[in-house]
Amino acid sequence: MLSLGRSGPRVAAAVIPPRRLRCTRNDTASAAHSFGVPRYDVVVIGGGHAGTEAASAAARLGAQTLLLTHKIDTIGQMSCNPSFGGIGKGHLMKEVDALDGLCARICDQSGVHYKVLNKRKGPAVWGFRAQIDRNLYKENMQKEILQTPCLTVCEASVEDLLLTEPEAEHPGKCCVSGVILGDGRRVHAGSVILTTGTFLRGVILIGLEMHPAGRMGDQPSIGLAQTLEKLGFTVGRLKTGTPPRLLKDSIDFSGLARQEADNPPVPFSFLNEVVWIKPEHQMSCYQTHTNPKVEQLIRDNLHLNNHVRETTRGPRYCPSLESKVLRFPNRVHQLWLEPEGLDSEVIYPQGMSLTLPSEIQEQLITHIRGLEKAKIVQPGYGVQYDFLDPRQLFASLESRLVQRLFFAGQINGTTGYEEAAAQGIIAGINAGLRVKGKPPFIVSRTEGYIGVLIDDLTTLGTDEPYRMFTSRVEFRMSLRPDNADSRLTFRGYSEAGCVSQKRYDQASRMNTMLEEGIEALKAIELSSTKWARLIPEAAISTNRSSSCSALDILQYQEVNLEILARAIPEPLKKFAEWRQLAQRLKIEAVYKQPVSIQKVEIEEVRRDEALQLPEDLDYFAINASLSQEVREKLDSHRPHTIGAVSRIPGITPAAVVNLLRFVKVSRQRAEGMSNLSRTDSPLPDADLLGQRKIQIAAQNVFKQSH
Amino acid sequence: MWRAGAGGRRLARGARAACRLYSQTATRDTIFALSSGQGKCGVAVIRTSGPASGVAVLRLTGTKELPQPRSAALRRICDPKSSEMLDRGLVLWFPGPGSFTGEDVAEFHVHGGPAVVSGILTALGSLPQVRLAVPGEFAKRAFQNGKLDLTEAEGLGDLIHAETEGQRRQALRQMGGELGQLYRRWSDALTKALAHVEAYIDFSEDDNIEEGVLSQVDTTVEILEEELRVHLQDGRRGERLRDGVQVVIAGPTNAGKSSLLNHLCRKPAAIVSPVAGTTRDVVEAALNIGGFPVVLSDTAGLRDTNDAIEKEGVSRARERVGNADLILAVLDAAEMAQQPSRLAFSLQGILPPTRSDGAQPCLLVLNKSDLLGVQNQEGLLQACARLGLPPACLLSCKTGEGLPNFLSTFKEQLGHMCGNPLLGSPSPTQVRHRVSLTKCLEALGRFGRHRDLDLALAAEELRQARRLLGQLTGQVGAEEILTLIFKDFCIGK
């Protein structure tokens, strides 16, 4: 991988006959061959972070799944930075894990440096992150994928899609029924998931040179790109970049600031109490900086840099060193030197994406402290690629144009392994549910970062590679890394069927104890003077005359469950003994107030999300007093629900009310809500006749408009 | 262990616990708003919807029982905190689901004056779990509960458009450029502060975002808090409505100041006599003039005197005049008619030196018109107009001539100062602003408390403050915050 192998017009790896690498007993029945054409429930194209999660999730649902990849050896490849997680991204991983996804567990088996970021800023924004050994990750991921029941993996390129007439009951102009492989052979499928990353018309840029390629050494998918365009998908272009890789032995770390890993390392997965590596065996990262000489060199060579000069949108938050220097001149920029693995000879300089010609890259690094004698093993490069406007997708990640065709990952305009994995698991679940004829599994933005990610993409679209930040999340106090399992595991188990019994039982046990713990803490009520005597560690104010509960006392910064249990062993001892439980109880106590406020707001949003707009509403034809400007906005954003309408910038409250009459109320949502609130007559108690009238009228409007 | 019906999946107790933990039933807020339209209205309708509507009725009417459902009941409506009576009006109680929104709804039909309306809105806003409705919220609740048919939705959309969008823009216009600019400046400062806190949360670990960013935010928040506090205390119009407009009757001795006071009070509040210098101290009377609360002060006649008591009276009169919201400058019409050129000079003798915040509003009252012929009367008024003096009224406290005309000029002037109930309804807008700004200030205070312990919690308070300010100036989305972040910081990871 490290050599600069030319990716010429070499034909895709020859297709071997669909190789059943590992199957369960019952999958031969449904993966039937009709007239020699194999048939699967779900076909996943691409073996990256979205593809692996998608394939594994579909298989966990029991769908016969085929994963198609150029090379089995590249499954689970980390093609950019050697780390997983971070602030916002770690939240996504916890949620993927809560749905029994792979990446968090694989990271717990493959990390070399675990660190929780934002440790001093409050548990709602803790960022779980780890430096990962690339080879271990790939190895562990391949082992996992190749051992998954119901999942078949096959090396093949995909040239085209098989299409049939659309199903009448769903919107869309046609329906996908399979794929055509590079050698012309066909595979039939109930649903198809495209997770081709940057491979659609991917172009690699180094200096003024351009190579068509998805990733260094791998060929791009051109046939598929043409097909998508012919079908009428709107495609945009984005760019990203990767830094040069450096030879570890050629770097002088002695003068650089060292960043140590956490001891003890904190695992990502709810299933794990410890990670695979011993704390003392963890590796370190090092910090260095740019300087005026580096800046000057970049300025002097701008004419040799096609990638930076072009107008394609790159990310604002992961810019190349060139763009950083140009946008924020006369500053020192941080660079992190990160290990690529335990046995790796390579160092990844985070923050040093470069697309200058390789000779100049070599010259540039010698100006940087610690890298004076460093050798480049692979130069940095830029990638430009096609992405699909994600507003063409439903929240299930199925496309609006082509039924049963799902998209996940970087192809939808996102960046990052975690964002890809999050979409992958949702696409995999929904592709499986679609085949089973079940309603889609949607995570709302009130339930998880996954929901925010997908809602932002499918409602607002993006014009730069989309990355998760905690600042995008309205209900940050409620959607925390610690409670991802309470939010998603039970839904994943009962509605999607993507969660194993083991995980379900474990999460149930934790939640029973959490609730018991909260009740126990609430039940202990003492006067503040008594509390102050019992817990001298905390500055408990004694001027309040009313008594307060142990849950209130737990809110004090200095108090934790251990201290409380020392003062009142019965019944608190058993809660303090389970470390994770004790920590979660503390967090629940600290966020009790803001979470209860957010609950009211969350419920408002959920009500708005239960009001769904018809998928094919013609906003220019409907008879409602809406301005042309509002109509245009609605047409381009195609909101799914009234909630989404109100998030579109520039939409007035009056327009929202005018749209109410085109709303259909989702039964399923309505039932979900009745469990939430029975007290104040929500949707289920509603006048159903009135709703029917509205739906009929709305249908009449469509008939007129067609 | 609990089992679902046939075919249902087993849900362990922990799973149900999770449902409770994560999505515990939250009682829905109760919302309220002025529901009657704008423009001239004798009756204003204030509506509430939500579970606390019943409590609101009980608290505001001070009774223990709700009125008969769906029938009008005449009730005293009082401020639940001070028990002060705000108005007598009709109260209607519509228990859900048989109501407009499907929830418990209450309506207060009260007199349309701004003091009454703003008083009731403020009283409702002080109840727990009761808040001002956002535009379109009543309609949305009605729709969610299946209570709205097609034509209603359409009509309501237009109504809400007229009331909310129009109102918001109009309110910003009415606030005058200055106030609008002030709110926008606060909004920009707060948005930027929030962006910096968000940047510190999302990027500080890997990127060049120093803790210095946070101390900048602290400074911004402190300044904002101080400015908001001063602004809320200085809401002159609001205070005038609450405490009454300070109107001071001033003028030379024996011009008929006390007679004017007595006329306005319709009772002899002050001793009147033909002897100059009868009134030696300030005489006060609280009045309701055209729906506006007024505190009327009669002062000693302004003249040089050697009498120690009268001297003190004159100095108190001058002090009172200096602090007045409105001055009624009373002059002897007969005296002025002889020398119209002395008008300006005499007025100068009454009015205090111009204050830094501009000249005080003043009405010129020319008393004793009964002593003048018709021709002289007209000549005098023309002279006033020619000299560019404040609005002048010719009247006679003795015969009552010209008093109705004076009263209508007086009311008009009060309307200018307090917000005129006949022009839109600025006072509910002001209540809305006041509520939002007060809550914004509270949130900023909590930011400081959480700042060092849990930055996520502190940021939540800033988000809340920004949302509240956004109700006055327009919302800001996450994308705009991110744009600010990337403009100010080089995020490199």
Side-chain angles (χ1 to χ4, degrees):
Chain A
M1 250 325 278
L2 296 174
S3 66
L4 232 181
R6 263 192 62 85
S7 49
R10 190 166 61 94
V11 183
V15 183
I16 15 181
R19 184 155 59 105
R20 217 34 80 68
L21 287 165
R22 175 110 187 201
C23 304
T24 49
R25 267 169 294 131
N26 60 352
D27 78 328
T28 29
S30 57
H33 294 238
S34 56
F35 306 109
V37 180
R39 176 175 182 84
Y40 289 88
D41 292 332
V42 176
V43 168
V44 180
I45 305 168
H49 303 284
T52 47
E53 293 289 355
S56 165
R60 288 201 302 277
L61 259 68
Q64 293 304 320
T65 306
L66 174 68
L67 174 61
L68 293 170
T69 171
H70 284 298
K71 288 183 216 155
I72 288 177
D73 185 48
T74 58
I75 287 177
Q77 172 125 315
M78 299 169 67
S79 39
C80 196
N81 52 322
S83 67
F84 249 96
I87 300 156
K89 287 165 171 280
H91 292 68
L92 284 174
M93 287 174 75
K94 287 276 181 185
E95 293 180 2
V96 169
D97 185 62
L99 292 170
D100 226 352
L102 312 176
C103 62
R105 276 191 298 116
I106 307 289
C107 282
D108 286 346
Q109 301 163 18
S110 322
V112 294
H113 169 119
Y114 293 84
K115 191 166 182 66
V116 180
L117 307 179
N118 270 353
K119 198 71 197 186
R120 287 182 305 133
K121 290 177 207 153
V125 295
W126 284 351
F128 294 81
R129 193 178 71 181
Q131 302 298 324
I132 307 288
D133 184 309
R134 283 181 195 284
N135 292 331
L136 270 177
Y137 189 88
K138 216 158 86 168
E139 213 173 278
N140 288 326
M141 179 58 91
Q142 287 175 16
K143 209 189 296 168
E144 174 82 29
I145 286 291
L146 297 179
Q147 284 176 358
T148 302
C150 297
L151 177 57
T152 307
V153 182
C154 184
E155 280 190 348
S157 69
V158 173
E159 272 307 304
D160 213 339
L161 302 172
L162 288 169
L163 300 167
T164 57
E165 286 297 304
E167 299 159 311
E169 65 273 26
H170 293 280
K173 66 177 188 185
C174 56
C175 181
V176 73
S177 61
V179 295
I180 303 175
L181 304 182
D183 63 354
R185 284 182 314 135
R186 298 166 171 226
V187 178
H188 286 164
S191 321
V192 172
I193 308 175
L194 268 181
T195 67
T196 51
T198 61
F199 281 63
L200 285 185
R201 295 216 190 100
V203 171
I204 282 185
L205 298 102
I206 305 181
L208 300 175
E209 287 174 58
M210 288 171 80
H211 312 277
R215 173 170 57 201
M216 210 47 121
D218 295 322
Q219 51 290 118
S221 316
I222 292 173
L224 259 186
Q226 283 167 349
T227 303
L228 294 179
E229 210 158 328
K230 260 186 280 167
L231 282 167
F233 283 103
T234 309
V235 172
R237 205 147 171 83
L238 289 173
K239 68 178 179 183
T240 184
T242 194
R245 310 299 150 87
L246 310 173
L247 192 64
K248 191 180 189 175
D249 289 344
S250 64
I251 299 173
D252 176 12
F253 293 103
S254 58
L256 304 181
R258 181 165 154 165
Q259 188 195 43
E260 304 271 4
D262 285 346
N263 189 358
V266 183
F268 288 97
S269 174
F270 285 101
L271 293 181
N272 294 331
E273 300 218 349
V274 288
V275 298
W276 76 290
I277 198 169
K278 282 196 178 139
E280 63 274 21
H281 291 172
Q282 294 187 89
M283 304 174 81
S284 295
C285 297
Y286 294 85
Q287 194 188 40
T288 182
H289 295 95
T290 64
N291 53 46
K293 277 189 197 157
V294 172
E295 191 172 327
Q296 194 54 47
L297 195 70
I298 288 172
R299 290 191 172 282
D300 292 346
N301 291 289
L302 270 186
H303 59 290
L304 298 174
N305 207 330
N306 255 341
H307 190 62
V308 171
R309 283 184 304 171
E310 279 187 14
T311 48
T312 310
R313 288 291 292 267
R316 289 173 295 181
Y317 35 76
C318 186
S320 60
L321 191 56
E322 292 98 322
S323 352
K324 283 196 235 179
V325 160
L326 294 177
R327 291 218 328 258
F328 296 94
N330 308 318
R331 283 202 209 173
V332 165
H333 298 280
Q334 282 182 357
L335 301 170
W336 290 95
L337 302 179
E338 303 179 345
E340 294 228 333
L342 286 176
D343 305 321
S344 173
E345 275 307 298
V346 180
I347 288 291
Y348 180 95
Q350 181 77 264
M352 207 166 87
S353 260
L354 284 171
T355 53
L356 285 164
S358 20
E359 339 47 283
I360 303 188
Q361 293 188 23
E362 274 161 24
Q363 207 182 322
L364 184 143
I365 60 165
T366 60
H367 294 304
I368 296 171
R369 187 158 182 212
L371 307 185
E372 293 86 351
K373 291 177 184 159
K375 295 257 177 328
I376 291 181
V377 283
Q378 180 190 297
Y381 58 85
V383 183
Q384 296 190 359
Y385 56 97
D386 280 358
F387 80 105
L388 214 91
D389 184 342
R391 285 175 295 182
Q392 300 166 99
L393 304 176
F394 297 118
S396 64
L397 297 180
E398 182 173 349
S399 78
R400 292 168 178 278
L401 277 175
V402 180
Q403 298 170 355
R404 294 171 178 268
L405 180 61
F406 294 75
F407 292 86
Q410 209 165 359
I411 191 172
N412 289 339
T414 61
T415 172
Y417 307 148
E418 305 80 359
E419 286 82 353
Q423 294 168 69
I425 197 165
I426 296 298
I429 290 170
N430 284 316
L433 290 172
R434 185 76 157 86
V435 173
K436 293 183 174 188
K438 288 193 177 169
F441 180 80
I442 311 289
V443 177
S444 131
R445 56 190 302 136
T446 64
E447 280 174 307
Y449 278 51
I450 293 182
V452 174
L453 167 79
I454 292 178
D455 184 60
D456 277 353
L457 288 173
T458 56
T459 316
L460 303 175
T462 186
D463 55 4
E464 67 176 336
Y466 181 104
R467 179 181 144 181
M468 198 67 232
F469 303 115
T470 71
S471 45
R472 298 191 192 269
V473 180
E474 296 91 339
F475 304 112
R476 189 161 62 189
M477 296 292 103
S478 311
L479 311 184
R480 304 188 306 268
D482 63 276
N483 66 8
D485 57 345
S486 313
R487 291 183 274 125
L488 296 172
T489 300
F490 306 109
R491 276 198 67 201
Y493 179 81
S494 59
E495 291 174 42
C498 63
V499 173
S500 71
Q501 190 66 41
K502 178 189 166 200
R503 183 184 289 269
Y504 173 80
D505 290 341
Q506 183 181 319
S508 301
R509 202 163 55 242
M510 170 60 88
N511 276 285
T512 309
M513 288 298 284
L514 264 176
E515 184 160 77
E516 265 179 38
I518 289 173
E519 288 309 314
L521 288 164
K522 270 188 195 161
I524 302 171
E525 289 230 10
L526 297 172
S527 71
S528 45
T529 14
K530 198 149 189 200
W531 276 123
R533 250 200 330 272
L534 276 171
I535 318 237
E537 293 95 329
I540 294 168
S541 83
T542 48
N543 49 17
R544 257 174 56 183
S545 54
S546 57
S547 63
C548 41
S549 72
L551 195 62
D552 297 327
I553 298 298
L554 194 51
Q555 287 180 28
Y556 281 88
Q557 198 203 1
E558 306 85 354
V559 180
N560 57 35
L561 211 69
E562 207 179 307
I563 292 177
L564 272 179
R566 224 178 289 146
I568 307 170
E570 270 321 309
L572 298 182
K573 205 163 134 248
K574 68 170 174 181
F575 302 109
E577 278 164 358
W578 187 355
R579 195 180 53 81
Q580 280 136 322
L581 175 68
Q583 188 182 50
R584 284 179 70 161
L585 282 169
K586 164 83 183 171
I587 298 173
E588 291 288 342
V590 169
Y591 286 134
K592 192 176 70 159
Q593 186 64 22
V595 165
S596 71
I597 293 171
Q598 287 198 338
K599 263 178 194 149
V600 177
E601 294 168 20
I602 283 175
E603 207 170 315
E604 283 307 317
V605 174
R606 283 198 188 153
R607 281 167 202 269
D608 282 354
E609 284 179 351
L611 304 175
Q612 299 186 326
L613 288 163
E615 310 293 1
D616 47 2
L617 192 51
D618 182 347
Y619 289 104
F620 293 105
I622 59 175
N623 174 23
S625 44
L626 299 171
S627 71
Q628 191 61 20
E629 188 194 347
V630 165
R631 283 174 199 267
E632 276 165 18
K633 278 189 176 144
L634 290 168
D635 185 63
S636 71
H637 287 90
R638 302 224 67 90
H640 312 281
T641 66
I642 285 291
V645 171
S646 55
R647 284 190 290 277
I648 299 173
I651 298 286
T652 60
V656 172
V657 171
N658 275 327
L659 280 176
L660 279 179
R661 64 187 189 129
F662 297 100
V663 157
K664 50 181 182 183
V665 180
S666 153
R667 228 343 123 63
Q668 186 203 355
R669 284 302 179 94
E671 277 163 14
M673 301 235 323
S674 73
N675 297 331
L676 290 179
S677 161
R678 293 174 196 283
T679 46
D680 51 354
S681 59
L683 285 163
D685 302 338
D687 175 3
L688 286 170
L689 191 69
Q691 280 169 26
R692 265 239 316 281
K693 254 166 42 191
I694 289 162
Q695 281 167 25
I696 292 164
Q699 281 160 10
N700 289 339
V701 172
F702 303 142
K703 279 179 196 147
Q704 283 159 21
S705 65
H706 283 302
Chain B
M1 201 59 76
W2 166 88
R3 279 182 190 280
R9 271 190 111 137
R10 189 165 59 96
L11 271 179
R13 190 170 145 232
R16 281 177 299 134
C19 295
R20 275 197 296 277
L21 267 181
Y22 178 63
S23 43
Q24 228 162 40
T25 299
T27 311
R28 198 173 199 184
D29 281 345
T30 297
I31 53 173
F32 68 93
L34 178 70
S35 303
S36 46
Q38 298 184 58
K40 183 171 180 170
C41 54
V43 176
V45 178
I46 294 158
R47 188 184 260 160
T48 75
S49 175
S53 290
V55 177
V57 169
L58 297 180
R59 295 290 303 275
L60 261 69
T61 56
T63 47
K64 291 210 173 75
E65 265 177 62
L66 288 167
Q68 278 291 315
R70 287 173 296 281
S71 59
L74 184 65
R75 291 281 185 276
R76 286 160 54 95
I77 297 169
C78 300
D79 186 309
K81 289 225 168 90
S82 63
S83 304
E84 176 197 348
M85 185 164 105
L86 300 166
D87 197 11
R88 276 170 78 85
L90 296 179
V91 177
L92 286 101
W93 165 242
F94 304 93
S99 69
F100 162 61
T101 59
E103 305 175 327
D104 287 352
V105 167
E107 284 183 4
F108 299 89
H109 295 226
V110 295
H111 294 102
V116 170
V117 172
S118 77
I120 293 172
L121 293 181
T122 310
L124 282 171
S126 70
L127 299 173
Q129 266 148 21
V130 178
R131 63 169 170 83
L132 273 163
V134 299
E137 207 172 1
F138 279 95
K140 212 154 72 187
R141 288 192 175 193
F143 187 85
Q144 285 168 344
N145 295 327
K147 288 288 176 183
L148 209 58
D149 78 16
L150 289 179
T151 44
E152 279 175 323
E154 180 80 342
L156 268 166
D158 294 343
L159 183 67
I160 287 165
H161 182 75
E163 279 192 10
T164 59
E165 289 307 297
Q167 203 174 38
R168 200 169 62 82
R169 265 182 241 132
Q170 195 185 356
L172 277 173
R173 254 203 315 269
Q174 279 176 349
M175 274 196 285
E178 215 177 299
L179 204 53
Q181 256 174 26
L182 177 68
Y183 288 176
R184 271 187 293 276
R185 182 168 65 72
W186 285 346
S187 165
D188 290 348
L190 190 52
T191 308
K192 190 161 177 162
L194 178 58
H196 284 198
V197 172
E198 297 284 2
Y200 192 73
I201 287 175
D202 271 338
F203 306 106
S204 68
E205 299 270 336
D206 292 316
D207 297 292
N208 295 342
I209 298 176
E210 313 274 325
E211 197 132 357
V213 165
L214 284 193
S215 43
Q216 266 178 43
V217 170
D218 293 342
T219 315
T220 308
V221 170
E222 274 163 32
I223 292 173
L224 263 178
E225 272 188 276
E226 187 53 34
E227 288 191 2
L228 273 167
R229 203 173 293 128
V230 170
H231 178 77
L232 282 169
Q233 281 163 1
D234 194 43
R236 293 288 296 151
R237 279 187 167 190
E239 272 175 34
R240 275 176 193 152
L241 275 179
R242 205 172 54 239
D243 305 333
V245 184
Q246 296 292 327
V247 178
V248 176
I249 305 176
T253 49
N254 232 3
K257 300 178 293 297
S258 301
S259 303
L260 182 62
L261 175 84
N262 290 344
H263 253 289
L264 291 172
C265 297
R266 295 198 186 123
K267 64 178 181 192
I271 302 164
V272 281
S273 82
V275 180
T278 308
T279 306
R280 299 209 168 174
D281 198 355
V282 178
V283 177
E284 273 189 5
L287 299 174
N288 181 327
I289 293 177
F292 299 106
V294 167
V295 178
L296 196 61
S297 313
D298 179 25
T299 59
L302 303 171
R303 67 168 176 184
D304 290 330
T305 173
N306 290 326
D307 182 325
I309 298 172
E310 194 183 348
K311 216 171 181 171
E312 177 59 25
V314 168
S315 108
R316 285 186 188 184
R318 290 215 182 271
E319 191 187 318
R320 196 53 81 96
V321 169
N323 292 326
D325 291 325
L326 173 66
I327 300 164
L328 299 180
V330 184
L331 292 173
D332 185 327
E335 204 180 310
M336 291 300 126
Q338 284 162 12
Q339 285 178 288
S341 57
R342 278 181 54 90
L343 268 168
F345 178 74
S346 307
L347 193 61
Q348 240 170 41
I350 301 169
L351 298 182
T354 308
R355 285 195 308 214
S356 56
D357 56 350
Q360 286 159 278
C362 171
L363 288 183
L364 182 53
V365 180
L366 299 163
N367 189 21
K368 306 185 188 176
S369 65
D370 52 307
L371 300 179
L372 294 183
V374 176
Q375 222 170 13
N376 276 344
Q377 288 188 4
E378 277 173 12
L380 192 57
L381 288 176
Q382 277 164 11
C384 289
R386 201 172 52 241
L387 292 166
L389 299 180
C393 299
L394 199 57
L395 56 83
S396 164
C397 288
K398 195 170 169 191
T399 64
E401 181 195 354
L403 268 168
N405 179 38
F406 162 72
L407 270 175
S408 79
T409 312
F410 191 16
K411 280 181 203 165
E412 201 176 303
Q413 182 66 36
L414 290 170
H416 280 307
M417 300 172 68
C418 301
N420 193 326
L422 304 185
L423 299 172
S425 32
S427 56
T429 321
Q430 286 158 14
V431 173
R432 186 181 279 276
H433 289 178
R434 212 176 171 81
V435 168
S436 299
L437 291 175
T438 309
K439 288 191 174 159
C440 179
L441 182 62
E442 289 164 8
L444 290 176
R446 289 191 300 266
F447 168 80
R449 249 177 288 150
H450 294 309
R451 152 83 160 75
D452 292 322
L453 298 177
D454 190 319
L455 196 61
L457 268 178
E460 196 58 33
E461 300 297 350
L462 276 197
R463 284 177 169 201
Q464 188 63 30
R466 180 65 197 76
R467 266 200 294 276
L468 289 159
L469 210 48
Q471 291 174 354
L472 309 185
T473 59
Q475 291 297 342
V476 167
E479 189 47 41
E480 282 144 278
I481 300 279
L482 283 172
T483 307
L484 270 178
I485 292 176
F486 295 124
K487 210 178 100 207
D488 286 3
F489 303 105
C490 181
I491 308 298
K493 184 93 173 179

